Amino acid sequence: MSVKSIEKDYDTLTIAALAEFEATPQRVWELWADPRKLEGWWGPPTYPATVQQHELVPGGSVTYFMTGPDGKTYHGWWTVLVVEAPRQLSFRDGFADEDGSPREDMPITEVTVTLTARDGGTAAEVVTAFADRTQMEELISMGAVEGAAEAMSQMDAVLAAG
């Protein structure tokens, strides 16, 4: 598994995941930039994602839903903030209603992905920042750390598939 660590930091209100891949930064970048590849790992294995809209440009939107084992769908959205291919991506990530409308009652996070060439491969750091400790604790209690580890553990298979 490429995920090396996932660290919670209550002082900075962040969760930082570090992964290493035997692939170039450009190939790892495609895990976010290609909606079909994003579907291959975004969400835990038992909650596969379907990307509905994918505009990976500053100000663009990404909308998706995950389908649980019971067939129930869970919708989400991104507002893209920064795109510096193949080095950095930053976006706001939140929950949505079935019609795609952002849910105001759920936390919104800011995610920053940084890819760095290293030893013939790529190090990926994914930092999720929270507005406050309450929101951080809420998402952690919902299984965000375990879900992120399960989701990211699928990245190697997506890279291997081309």
Side-chain angles (χ1 to χ4, degrees):
M1 178 166 61
S2 294
V3 178
K4 300 299 179 191
S5 66
I6 299 182
E7 304 288 332
K8 297 176 280 196
D9 187 332
Y10 288 101
D11 292 331
T12 61
L13 300 173
T14 59
I15 298 174
L18 179 62
E20 295 179 358
F21 301 98
E22 294 180 13
T24 64
Q26 183 60 45
R27 285 197 54 230
V28 176
W29 175 261
E30 291 298 317
L31 293 171
W32 285 268
D34 180 331
R36 303 298 73 90
K37 291 180 181 177
L38 183 63
E39 288 176 338
W41 71 270
W42 187 260
T46 56
Y47 288 79
T50 300
V51 176
Q52 298 169 294
Q53 179 180 1
H54 190 270
E55 299 171 321
L56 207 63
V57 297
S61 297
V62 174
T63 59
Y64 63 91
F65 63 87
M66 295 181 286
T67 304
D70 60 359
K72 186 174 178 184
T73 58
Y74 302 87
H75 295 255
W77 58 269
W78 298 355
T79 297
V80 180
L81 304 171
V82 175
V83 178
E84 295 176 8
R87 193 180 67 77
Q88 189 172 46
L89 171 66
S90 182
F91 55 91
R92 285 191 189 90
D93 182 25
F95 294 85
D97 292 326
E98 285 186 20
D99 67 0
S101 301
R103 289 190 50 186
E104 303 295 329
D105 63 328
M106 296 296 290
I108 296 171
T109 61
E110 189 166 312
V111 179
T112 300
V113 179
T114 305
L115 305 179
T116 307
R118 183 181 295 166
D119 300 326
T122 302
E125 182 181 42
V126 181
V127 178
T128 303
F130 299 85
D132 58 46
R133 188 177 178 111
T134 300
Q135 288 187 357
M136 184 175 176
E137 288 175 345
E138 180 179 359
L139 284 182
I140 289 171
S141 73
M142 292 171 61
V145 174
E146 297 82 4
E150 289 177 6
M152 291 179 71
S153 72
Q154 302 171 102
M155 292 172 145
D156 283 323
V158 175
L159 286 169

